[in-house]
Structures are given as structure tokens and as C-alpha cells.
Amino acid sequence: MSEIRVIEIKESIFADNDREADRIRTRLKEEKTFLLNLMSSPGSGKTTTLLRTIEALKEEIRIGVMEADIDSLVDAEKIAGTGVRSIQLHTGGMCHLDAGMTEQGLDEIGTEDLDLVVLENVGNLVCPAEFDTGAVKNAMILSVPEGHDKPLKYPLIFTVCDALIINKIDVLPYFDFDMEKVKEYALMRNPRLEIFPVSAKTGEGIDAWCDWLKGQLRDHGCSGFV
């Protein structure tokens, strides 16, 4: 019988991406620009929540948005209608952005005169969670119609996020969604997770989410928050 070779893998296959992501965070710290990576499944209300956030903050924070998608300009055109700087990133069929792709977007949008850049990642609960984009913080949106068991089914995205927005609370009476259960499951995955129930449609809960975001910008040393 031939001898079996044992190969020890010393380094994560994501190591190169992680190093590039750390370099991006250093750059953003020097520029005093805060990058938020916003993730969710398709149809969760990500763009609508972002529009509400922009409406609440654009008079006091200089905001830019990078819309990532496999194709189309639909979301970028909606964001551009608010008056903030917006670009569309096409991923060429990939279901996520990595650090290198994110940096290309940052170079294109220009960060020197922006306090907050939001990366609206590709709609997916799996792939985007696996790649560090270089964001200062990660946030995700879970909508009520998706069900309260998602932290059990998709643990990684809840683990890597700093904030969980539970959207579409205006339709809670029509769905079998247990708010206390979803909080329990999410905090089981990540005890440090900040949770914000909101309705992007009515605006309920948006103020609390925006207050948290402004606190993060302040901690990052962004202009106007020091």
C-alpha cells in the first residue's frame, strides 16, 4: 500500500482577503470615513431601509452609497434620487463582494469628503458573510416574512454582524413571527449583537437605528462627530 501524504493547511484560504480588508480599515480610519457593510436576503427591504436612513441623516452626515448587484441599475438610481453620491457595482455573476472589489468601489466613489459610505451588498445570507469587505461595521436586515428561525439556519451572518435590523414590523399581525424568539436565537449566535426592530415603510424604529449609527461614526472619529 502506498504511503498517504498528510498536508497541513497552515493558513486560511481567506487570509489574503483578510489582510487586504485590514488594510482598507486602516485607510478608512486615516480618512475618517466609516464604511458600513449592509447585508440581507433579497426582498428584505434593504434599499427601502437605506432610503429611510439617508432621509434621517443626510442633513448632518456626508453619505455615499455603493450598490452591489449581479446586474441592473435599479437600486443605484433610487439612491441617487435622494441627492447623495451613489455608484453601482456589478459583480459579474458573483454572489458577494470581497475586499479587493470593495476597494475598487471606494476608489471610484471617492471617500475623502464622505463621513459614511454604505455598501449595500448582494442579496444573500450566505456568501457575503464569508468575505471581509474591510468595513468598519457589518449590519444585516431580517424581515418579518422571512421567519424568526433564520439565526438557526444561517448562523454565520449573525455571528459576523454588529447590528441586526428586523424590518417590516408593520406586518407582524399577519405572520407567525416570534420577536422574542428571533432575539433569543440571534443573541445566542452573537451576544454583542445590537437589535433594531423597524418598519422602513412607516419609519417606526428608524431613529434608534440612526442614533446607533451616529454613535459608531463618533467613535470612528468622523468629521462633525469628534
Side-chain angles (χ1 to χ4, degrees):
M1 181 180 293
S2 60
E3 183 179 350
I4 298 175
R5 297 174 60 199
V6 177
I7 301 172
E8 294 187 19
I9 305 300
K10 299 290 187 181
E11 193 172 39
S12 166
I13 60 172
F14 297 108
D16 286 343
N17 183 79
D18 292 346
R19 280 191 289 267
E20 189 164 6
D22 286 338
R23 183 175 56 77
I24 291 171
R25 273 186 287 272
T26 299
R27 163 190 166 178
L28 293 169
K29 185 68 174 178
E30 292 170 351
E31 294 176 355
K32 294 181 170 52
T33 300
F34 187 96
L35 174 61
L36 177 73
N37 179 27
L38 184 60
M39 299 176 283
S40 78
S41 61
S44 67
K46 193 159 67 264
T47 303
T48 308
T49 302
L50 184 51
L51 288 169
R52 279 282 186 181
T53 303
I54 291 169
E55 180 184 349
L57 297 178
K58 69 178 183 179
E59 297 303 322
E60 53 183 318
I61 297 172
R62 299 171 297 176
I63 303 172
V65 177
M66 302 190 297
E67 287 287 345
D69 218 330
I70 293 173
D71 204 349
S72 89
L73 299 172
V74 174
D75 291 339
E77 290 172 344
K78 289 179 181 177
I79 297 298
T82 67
V84 304
R85 195 179 307 170
S86 175
I87 63 171
Q88 183 76 50
L89 305 178
H90 284 167
T91 64
M94 298 180 69
C95 60
H96 67 275
L97 265 71
D98 59 23
M101 298 160 73
T102 301
E103 187 163 40
Q104 290 181 56
L106 290 170
D107 291 340
E108 183 65 29
I109 198 169
T111 56
E112 295 82 1
D113 60 345
L114 293 175
D115 302 308
L116 170 65
V117 177
V118 180
L119 169 60
E120 185 176 338
N121 216 315
V122 180
N124 191 311
L125 289 181
V126 180
C127 300
E130 295 179 337
F131 289 85
D132 190 342
T133 61
V136 181
K137 296 291 182 180
N138 295 314
M140 69 167 292
I141 299 176
L142 173 68
S143 64
V144 166
E146 293 175 76
H148 58 257
D149 58 354
K150 288 297 180 289
L152 302 180
K153 295 182 176 181
Y154 301 94
L156 181 60
I157 193 166
F158 292 87
T159 301
V160 302
C161 281
D162 303 282
L164 166 62
I165 300 169
I166 302 174
N167 190 29
K168 304 186 182 181
I169 59 172
D170 52 294
V171 299
L172 272 171
Y174 309 105
F175 288 89
D176 185 18
F177 185 94
D178 190 321
M179 184 66 73
E180 294 309 310
K181 278 294 183 184
V182 75
K183 290 179 179 179
E184 175 188 341
Y185 295 155
L187 293 173
M188 182 174 66
R189 298 300 185 192
N190 182 356
R192 297 179 300 278
L193 194 63
E194 298 282 351
I195 301 176
F196 302 95
V198 309
S199 168
K201 181 178 181 180
T202 68
E204 183 181 355
I206 293 294
D207 286 347
W209 153 245
C210 289
D211 286 344
W212 177 85
L213 190 52
K214 286 191 289 186
Q216 299 305 307
L217 268 71
R218 186 178 299 109
D219 291 344
H220 192 65
C222 296
S223 299
F225 292 90
V226 295

